[in-house]
Amino acid sequence: ITPTAITIITLSIIMGTILTMSSSNWLMAWIGLELNMLAILPIISKPKTTRASEATIKYFLTQAIASAMMLLSSTTNAWQTGNWDILELKNKFSTTIMALSLMMKMGAAPVHFWLPEVLQGTTLQTALLITTWQKLAPVTLMYMISNNIQPALLMSAGVLSMVVGGLGGINQTQLRKTMAYSSINNLGWTIMIMALSPNLAIMNITIYIIMTTPVFLMMKNTSMKTLQNLTTTWTTSTATTLSIALLMLSTSGLPPFTGFMPKMLALNELITQKLTTLATLAIMTSLISLLFYLRVAYLIMMLTPPMT
């Protein structure tokens, strides 16, 4: 790809997200998402492998379906209310379809199937882009319509994402797929708490992005692909490997790390709203995901040769 093409693609990705995040009209938000999606396709397909092409097609199809659902939802709402305003999404059918469409865009369960496959088919930089920057626009839209979505829908999708993220990550040996399930799990917390405290949801996704970015960058620098690589990079780059272990523990929500704070605040909010069963469920699912985060940390800490 030429420098000119890279500049145009980068600007389109940034412009698309900013356009969606700053618009008050469904059509403009949709145009922003489309611009963003079309710009990232050449980046995903940059490695000339069949796996990268497959990932590009999977990404394109899921995003196109989600965009179609988004158009259906906003058009139905405009037809019923005569209003294209994002904050005026009052029709119940529209809000449900829109919530599902945004979940599909960000890769939350039950429409998460594309995310691990796409991440596995691309480079680590692209995986970083998809798990962080590409989530900003859908999460912002969900934040804007959070008052109108039925809380039961958000909470059940949130818990389902936590379970899927936890169980899916346990069996993985590929680090990119592990990170994809970690992303699904963290989105679960974001979506669940979006129903009760949207500001807390934004804080949760922000902290997740801040924690996951260095993990991907360090994996790229040390060319890590599988769990096996983790045990061999210790000798060449000790500080990096140790940082990855600590960041993984932080992402799992283990105290005293940063990742514990949003989870504690989310549980506090659930208990304040008398949703103790949901809080218990959330804790149990975070134990499942803790298992694979701990495994990564264990591989780094225990299976590495002692320093001489």
Side-chain angles (χ1 to χ4, degrees):
I1 302 178
T2 61
T4 317
I6 290 171
T7 311
I8 293 168
I9 288 167
T10 311
L11 280 174
S12 300
I13 289 173
I14 295 168
M15 283 290 296
T17 302
I18 292 172
L19 182 65
T20 301
M21 288 170 77
S22 57
S23 62
S24 60
N25 181 296
W26 278 120
L27 278 177
M28 287 309 289
W30 176 79
I31 289 167
L33 284 168
E34 287 300 295
L35 176 66
N36 176 287
M37 184 256 284
L38 289 171
I40 203 173
L41 293 177
I43 294 182
I44 302 174
S45 63
K46 190 170 177 256
K48 295 288 177 279
T49 59
T50 48
R51 183 166 268 182
S53 310
E54 189 184 323
T56 312
I57 290 168
K58 280 177 181 170
Y59 186 82
F60 171 71
L61 288 175
T62 45
Q63 298 296 316
I65 292 165
S67 292
M69 285 166 69
M70 197 175 161
L71 268 185
L72 168 71
S73 165
S74 50
T75 311
T76 309
N77 186 67
W79 185 35
Q80 296 281 326
T81 61
N83 202 330
W84 283 98
D85 199 313
I86 290 179
L87 299 174
E88 297 296 320
L89 198 73
K90 295 285 190 280
N91 187 349
K92 214 168 188 179
F93 170 77
S94 292
T95 50
T96 309
I97 296 290
M98 185 61 76
L100 283 169
S101 149
L102 294 174
M103 283 173 206
M104 198 169 187
K105 283 235 172 251
M106 61 179 98
V111 275
H112 65 281
F113 303 102
W114 63 272
L115 188 63
E117 298 297 324
V118 170
L119 289 205
Q120 189 54 37
T122 58
T123 59
L124 281 163
Q125 300 103 296
T126 315
L128 168 66
L129 193 63
I130 293 169
T131 47
T132 55
W133 183 261
Q134 293 300 96
K135 292 203 184 337
L136 294 179
V139 168
T140 307
L141 286 176
M142 190 174 267
Y143 174 82
M144 289 166 85
I145 63 165
S146 57
N147 289 338
N148 300 326
I149 308 174
Q150 297 92 311
L153 175 69
L154 287 177
M155 286 176 192
S156 36
V159 170
L160 188 60
S161 294
M162 287 181 211
V163 174
V164 166
L167 293 176
I170 288 174
N171 204 24
Q172 299 301 331
T173 54
Q174 297 286 335
L175 283 173
R176 275 169 295 182
K177 277 198 174 177
T178 306
M179 293 305 287
Y181 283 108
S182 157
S183 168
I184 294 166
N185 179 51
N186 271 280
L187 271 176
W189 282 90
T190 304
I191 291 170
M192 179 187 71
I193 207 63
M194 187 78 80
L196 302 172
S197 170
N199 290 340
L200 193 52
I202 294 296
M203 189 190 82
N204 185 63
I205 195 79
T206 307
I207 287 178
Y208 166 72
I209 288 172
I210 290 167
M211 287 187 303
T212 204
T213 305
V215 173
F216 272 112
L217 294 175
M218 286 188 280
M219 281 161 125
K220 179 189 169 287
N221 282 343
T222 50
S223 303
M224 285 186 200
K225 294 285 194 308
T226 61
L227 284 177
Q228 193 65 43
N229 298 148
L230 278 173
T231 56
T232 53
T233 46
W234 177 270
T235 44
T236 51
S237 41
T238 316
T240 302
T241 324
L242 193 60
S243 302
I244 289 178
L246 293 175
L247 280 162
M248 283 290 191
L249 291 177
S250 181
T251 315
S252 72
L254 203 65
F257 298 105
T258 317
F260 173 62
M261 184 180 61
K263 289 192 176 180
M264 185 190 70
L265 292 171
L267 292 171
N268 181 46
E269 185 69 36
L270 287 172
I271 292 163
T272 309
Q273 303 278 358
K274 303 279 188 292
L275 294 162
T276 323
T277 318
L278 193 61
T280 314
L281 252 174
I283 292 170
M284 300 303 272
T285 54
S286 83
L287 281 177
I288 303 171
S289 60
L290 181 64
L291 190 62
F292 73 80
Y293 289 117
L294 275 176
R295 190 177 63 167
V296 173
Y298 172 82
L299 279 172
I300 292 171
M301 306 287 198
M302 301 301 168
L303 300 183
T304 45
M307 291 175 71
T308 50

